[in-house]
Amino acid sequence: MAKKLNKVFIDVEVDPSVAGDVALAAKLEEVCPVNIFKGTESGVEIVEENLDECVLCKLCLEAAPAGTVHVRKLYDGTELS
Amino acid sequence: MSILLNRDTTFIVQGITGREAVNLTRECLDYGSKVVGGVTPGRKGREVHGVPVFDTVAQAVEHHGGPIDGSVVTVPPAFTKDAVFEAILNGIKLIVIVTERIPRRDVAQMVELAEIEGARIIGPNCLGLIVPDVCKMGGIGGPARDAAKSYAPGPVGVMSRSGGMTTEISSSLTQAGLGVSTAVSIGGDAIIGSAYAELMPYFEADEETQAIVIYTEPGGRMEAQLAQWVAANDSRLPIVAFMAGKFMDDEEMKGMSFGHAGTIVEGVEDTATEKIARLEAAGIRVVERIDEIPAAVKEKLAA
Amino acid sequence: MTIIEISSTWAFLVPPNWNLPILPPLRIGSAPLMRFYEFEARQIVELAGIPVTKYGFCKTADEARQAAEEIGGPVVIKSQVLSGGRMKAGGVKFADTPDEAAAHAEDILQLEINGQMPRGVLVDPKAEVKQEYYASVVWDGTAKKPLMLFSDMGGIDIEEVAETHPDHVGKGHVTNLMPIPDFEAKQTIAATGVTGSQLNRATPILAKLARLFRDYDMTLAEINPLAELTDGSFVALDAHMEMENEAVGRQKVLLRKQLEIAEDDTRETYEPSEFERNVAAIDAADHRGVIQGKDHGFSGNLGLVIGAGGGSLTLTDAVRSQNGRPANYSEIGGNPSVAKACGLAKEVLEKDGVEKIAVMMSIVSNTRVDIVARGVIKACLELDKDPAETIAIFRIPGAWEDEGFKILDRYGVEYCDRSVSMWEAAGRAVAKIQGEAASA
Ligand code: SF4
């Protein structure tokens, strides 16, 4: 079987300042329709294999404090805002 | 003007709390359609994009304070018949059935009841209908902004067995500066509420409509029925047709179904070749290429 | 279709469905019907209260001998396959004694007909027939009602009778909403000129056939021949039934309990290819969007990643009419995930002989252009192919097209919007693949 690539089109990053916030992590897991965030006991984890499924809906940006979640479009170098 | 819909048409959405139905409701409201209620049993009291949800059609009618013109039915196949019966017997006269995979027996029963009660069914397995810049009933054309891009008002009536191709063809007519009077996605099933010939009298009576475009596929007899209607009624409307699925005429494709449930060649009469011959014999222009449609319409309008 | 040689001794030990692998049902490329074997059709007719001759469904030569003994007298042995042309293929034989019946059964049980091994044989008495009739019910899609057909010239092809002796074919519609009354059947039969006791005996049979057609969601219920025996009684000698696939779910009692047909026994018209199975599996694994793929009858070099029912038909024609050679047929509908679009594109790309793919659809409103673009580019990258070289053309206008075009720009893939027609886009793909072949 051929290789599987992740993070070809989209990268998502959560600011270290809030990445450990368990409540925010749970919220992000709930709002993202394609399960890119996973809430754990130590905060939020990014699910690598789902990154390219991002539908650019901005729900994560709206759920988190301004400027703490970054959704980058790797194909044109811009960031979702 | 238009057929079946106008600026004042009111309708409900049955199954309004389903995911696709929520989107469709948003799209219709944005387009300016009057969605006056929704029905999902057990969900009375909720709202979907500001549209009140009821348990029964009767409650929706009562809340509206008078007859409601139409209903878009999006409930699962096992419940569609009941929902449509409920709509018809509560006085609704125009029913768009979006649901796919409904057994034929159920469809035939709905159609027979509609006939008795003087109601008209569009679909099943369709995207509904649209009068450009006036009203859209169903998911046809997508979000209001996209629909506006594909559908401009004009003299051409469109009927199509494929929902997606209704928009593709209308968009090409819009781009060519022609535009659309009313476009109807009639549905892809073997038995549908309104075939081409059954909608022709409406277009015939609509002053704005000057020509008709149909999109058609192998399978079934509705093209033969249209050819007969045209021959018998001395229609004022020139018709341009496009036939997809010609590859299905190949020997190795016999008995196979592609695209829609109704698209299966079961006998000689329902092959693409045979249908094209019948349509042409009735004076209908059948174009070979999809992009020849606008020019063919212009030619017919000039003649 | 692989043909496996099995010796006659082994044939009886192999379960009758050995050549039908357990698969998710294919939604395209197979007839949208549940087909029945003759022995099952016979059971259905019996359940509906229509008289049949005493018969035996047998899986071994011994069983066939026993059946022939019980029936007594000359018998017919018929191969149970889902295929026409049994008589010609040697699948129907007559026997005067139980030994002869067993010998014929042994032969027929190992005889493959149109790629199918029989599920068994039907042993039937050779009836003393005075007259053969024809009775059937089908859907009339124009009238939107079941249509009964009856003829006093049974045993032969009804379409031929309709052509040569139209006055011997009676037609009548059946109500959808009311219980089916006998008179509707009577009218249909009387139209052929049949009267007297024949009319009175045939009427309840046709009415029952119409009821079973409606109750069991059939698309075809046919008795041919319906025989009047020398004693004046009527029996169904042969029956043919097809049920609508959409109704299989609500006909569980008939299918699973009464006929004991297994859930995975889906009765495809042909064995699905590896490509078709793989695409079906990818589709089943993820509920977002719908993808379907089929390659039965296609063997070209241009892979098609195309969408929606009508769009796919239009595009397949457009490729073929411009002398392109499609490697497959496909449909993308709803709003599939990137993974699903990628999975379909990969399956297409991995097919033998595929050089490039064309990614095309009619204007989309639900499916997203950028999601499909990501999927097909990912498929190329994961297979170590250059998207710019591999994707001959990308023509999907509509929802999120601006975002999609940015992605395609980044990878140098040629794309177009709605100003380029589906025909033209298909033509460009064909020209590209042929241009390369010419310069190679
Ligand atoms: S933009 Fe939407 S899909 Fe993308 S990561 Fe945020 S929530 Fe998930």
Side-chain angles (χ1 to χ4, degrees):
Chain A
M1 206 49 212
K3 61 185 171 187
K4 277 227 175 266
L5 300 173
N6 295 324
K7 229 191 328 192
V8 178
F9 306 101
I10 303 288
D11 194 10
V12 174
E13 202 191 324
V14 181
D15 238 50
S17 62
V18 295
D21 182 338
V22 176
L24 177 66
K27 202 163 155 200
L28 288 172
E29 176 173 333
E30 190 196 312
V31 296
C32 178
V34 294
N35 307 323
I36 285 175
F37 305 95
K38 194 165 178 285
T40 67
E41 278 163 26
S42 54
V44 66
E45 252 173 41
I46 301 291
V47 183
E48 296 265 329
E49 65 261 34
N50 288 345
L51 280 171
D52 287 326
E53 296 287 351
C54 169
V55 292
L56 310 176
C57 67
K58 301 184 189 173
L59 289 173
C60 53
L61 305 191
E62 285 159 18
T68 58
V69 174
H70 306 274
V71 176
R72 297 200 180 86
K73 299 192 243 171
L74 302 174
Y75 47 90
D76 68 355
T78 64
E79 197 180 310
L80 199 63
S81 59
Chain B
M1 267 309 293
S2 53
I3 74 161
L4 299 166
L5 297 180
N6 60 49
R7 218 167 277 287
D8 303 317
T9 302
T10 52
F11 61 89
I12 56 170
V13 177
Q14 286 174 270
I16 192 164
T17 51
R19 198 165 63 101
E20 298 298 325
V22 168
N23 288 339
L24 171 161
T25 303
R26 169 86 273 155
E27 293 173 13
C28 290
L29 288 169
D30 287 349
Y31 202 73
S33 305
K34 296 198 164 74
V35 188
V36 297
V39 175
T40 299
R43 302 284 172 89
K44 185 184 174 188
R46 300 201 185 189
E47 278 193 356
V48 170
H49 297 304
V51 174
V53 180
F54 303 96
D55 287 333
T56 67
V57 175
Q59 287 168 359
V61 173
E62 196 193 325
H63 176 266
H64 183 62
I68 294 170
D69 301 318
S71 176
V72 178
V73 180
T74 65
V75 305
F79 308 106
T80 311
K81 187 176 81 179
D82 197 56
V84 170
F85 276 24
E86 186 184 359
I88 295 173
L89 295 174
N90 277 285
I92 290 177
K93 297 295 182 210
L94 178 63
I95 291 154
V96 169
I97 306 174
V98 176
T99 312
E100 303 178 38
R101 302 185 66 83
I102 309 171
R104 287 180 220 193
R105 189 215 310 173
D106 293 14
V107 179
Q109 289 181 337
M110 298 186 262
V111 172
E112 194 166 313
L113 185 68
E115 243 163 54
I116 294 169
E117 297 290 326
R120 174 148 298 283
I121 290 174
I122 307 289
N125 189 6
C126 80
L127 292 182
L129 61 164
I130 183 169
V131 179
D133 293 353
V134 172
C135 181
K136 121 176 163 106
M137 188 171 169
I140 189 165
R145 238 185 16 180
D146 293 350
K149 214 165 164 183
S150 302
Y151 292 91
V156 188
V158 178
M159 293 184 272
S160 165
R161 284 170 67 175
S162 152
M165 292 304 289
T166 318
T167 296
E168 180 72 33
I169 289 169
S170 299
S171 170
S172 74
L173 293 168
T174 295
Q175 276 188 69
L178 284 162
V180 168
S181 61
T182 304
V184 188
S185 157
I186 61 174
D189 283 356
I191 296 183
I192 53 173
S194 301
Y196 310 118
E198 292 162 292
L199 292 177
M200 278 306 288
Y202 294 88
F203 281 116
E204 192 75 29
D206 172 40
E207 272 168 30
E208 198 199 341
T209 303
Q210 300 299 328
I212 296 289
V213 171
I214 66 164
Y215 163 92
T216 171
E217 296 173 351
R221 302 283 187 279
M222 69 181 95
E223 292 74 17
Q225 186 195 10
L226 174 65
Q228 259 171 17
W229 188 92
V230 169
N233 288 277
D234 189 26
S235 169
R236 70 177 173 90
L237 297 169
I239 304 177
V240 173
F242 172 74
M243 167 74 61
K246 292 187 269 271
F247 72 93
M248 288 174 62
D249 280 9
D250 281 17
E251 201 41 56
E252 69 255 39
M253 307 290 173
K254 285 280 152 64
M256 295 201 188
S257 148
F258 291 86
H260 301 113
T263 313
I264 175 167
V265 175
E266 285 167 336
V268 198
E269 282 167 58
D270 47 9
T271 61
T273 314
E274 178 67 23
K275 287 186 179 202
I276 290 170
R278 270 171 200 262
L279 291 169
E280 282 177 339
I284 292 168
R285 167 83 193 277
V286 184
V287 294
E288 165 76 20
R289 297 164 41 168
I290 183 82
D291 52 4
E292 289 169 339
I293 292 173
V297 172
K298 282 183 179 167
E299 218 171 88
K300 288 271 191 184
L301 286 175
Chain C
M1 176 88 219
T2 38
I3 296 168
I4 301 170
E5 297 271 348
I6 42 176
S7 74
S8 57
T9 25
W10 282 97
F12 305 112
L13 301 174
V14 176
N17 61 343
W18 64 275
N19 58 349
L20 294 166
I22 297 162
L23 298 165
L26 268 188
R27 274 172 295 189
I28 55 170
S30 51
L33 301 168
M34 175 76 202
R35 303 183 300 160
F36 295 102
Y37 290 91
E38 184 192 359
F39 73 93
E40 293 164 340
R42 184 80 62 100
Q43 281 173 269
I44 297 168
V45 164
E46 243 186 312
L47 282 168
I50 295 169
V52 296
T53 52
K54 189 170 185 180
Y55 65 97
F57 169 63
C58 311
K59 290 188 179 175
T60 64
D62 270 348
E63 284 177 21
R65 185 198 322 271
Q66 271 175 31
E69 268 165 13
E70 263 175 51
I71 289 166
V75 293
V76 197
I77 293 109
K78 298 193 254 182
S79 174
Q80 296 299 290
V81 283
L82 291 175
S83 167
R86 283 184 305 183
M87 189 67 120
K88 245 196 215 152
V92 179
K93 287 187 173 158
F94 299 91
D96 287 324
T97 65
D99 282 342
E100 213 182 325
H104 284 326
E106 185 146 350
D107 291 344
I108 292 174
L109 282 165
Q110 333 160 29
L111 181 72
E112 189 181 89
I113 299 179
N114 290 333
Q116 286 180 48
M117 289 304 289
R119 290 237 168 153
V121 291
L122 194 69
V123 182
D124 238 357
K126 230 177 115 193
E128 296 290 320
V129 178
K130 191 156 85 186
Q131 158 110 37
E132 292 190 335
Y133 297 85
Y134 173 95
S136 75
V137 187
V138 292
W139 274 110
D140 178 348
T142 311
K144 302 161 199 181
K145 286 185 170 134
L147 180 69
M148 293 179 289
L149 294 167
F150 186 87
S151 175
D152 56 350
M153 297 174 69
I156 49 172
D157 183 23
I158 189 67
E159 292 191 15
E160 204 183 302
V161 180
E163 202 135 291
T164 52
H165 300 90
D167 51 325
H168 283 271
V169 179
K171 296 183 182 182
H173 285 116
V174 176
T175 164
N176 289 305
L177 290 171
M178 289 190 305
I180 296 169
D182 278 355
F183 86 85
E184 288 186 335
K186 184 183 67 177
Q187 271 176 190
T188 305
I189 299 166
T192 62
V194 170
T195 177
S197 73
Q198 284 84 353
L199 175 68
N200 292 330
R201 295 215 186 199
T203 294
I205 292 177
L206 183 58
K208 282 172 181 166
L209 189 66
R211 284 174 205 136
L212 92 78
F213 175 89
R214 212 175 73 177
D215 292 347
Y216 292 146
D217 287 297
M218 296 296 176
T219 52
L220 170 68
E222 181 183 73
I223 299 175
N224 189 24
L226 170 65
E228 181 189 6
L229 303 182
T230 38
D231 66 1
S233 65
F234 275 64
V235 289
L237 285 190
D238 196 350
H240 194 78
M241 304 277 151
E242 283 169 1
M243 178 185 283
E244 195 178 5
N245 245 3
E246 274 71 14
V248 164
R250 69 180 183 194
Q251 294 295 351
K252 287 225 166 75
V253 174
L254 176 72
L255 296 173
R256 314 283 174 241
K257 291 232 170 69
Q258 287 165 318
L259 300 178
E260 295 176 354
I261 297 171
E263 196 109 17
D264 55 42
D265 183 358
T266 53
R267 315 226 167 148
E268 304 297 340
T269 39
Y270 67 94
E271 199 164 333
S273 69
E274 193 188 340
F275 171 76
E276 289 164 355
R277 284 199 302 260
N278 291 350
V279 173
I282 294 168
D283 188 48
D286 181 348
H287 70 279
R288 284 171 292 175
V290 182
I291 55 164
Q292 303 178 13
K294 106 175 219 54
D295 62 353
H296 186 86
F298 294 93
S299 58
N301 55 356
L302 181 60
L304 298 184
V305 179
I306 54 180
S312 293
L313 294 177
T314 302
L315 288 160
T316 304
D317 275 349
V319 168
R320 296 205 353 163
S321 303
Q322 296 178 83
N323 300 316
R325 297 189 297 117
N328 66 291
Y329 176 86
S330 76
E331 287 181 16
I332 301 177
N335 188 6
S337 61
V338 173
K340 216 176 216 187
C342 174
L344 172 63
K346 264 166 117 172
E347 286 301 330
V348 174
L349 277 167
E350 286 185 311
K351 261 182 65 74
D352 278 351
V354 171
E355 292 161 30
K356 289 179 190 299
I357 53 170
V359 183
M360 307 183 285
M361 290 190 201
S362 56
I363 298 168
V364 294
S365 55
N366 192 10
T367 306
R368 273 173 60 162
V369 179
D370 60 332
I371 299 292
V372 179
R374 284 188 215 166
V376 295
I377 287 173
K378 206 169 196 175
C380 296
L381 298 176
E382 287 184 357
L383 295 173
D384 281 321
K385 291 176 188 284
D386 177 3
E389 286 290 312
T390 311
I391 302 172
I393 193 85
F394 184 105
R395 191 269 186 196
I396 309 181
W400 293 75
E401 62 179 15
D402 294 340
E403 204 63 39
F405 296 162
K406 276 187 216 162
I407 299 171
L408 296 160
D409 270 331
R410 159 76 177 76
Y411 289 91
V413 176
E414 184 182 341
Y415 62 83
C416 40
D417 63 10
R418 70 180 70 194
S419 64
V420 173
S421 73
M422 294 162 87
W423 170 274
E424 215 181 314
R428 281 197 204 174
V430 173
K432 235 185 211 174
I433 210 163
Q434 285 174 350
E436 217 149 88
S439 63

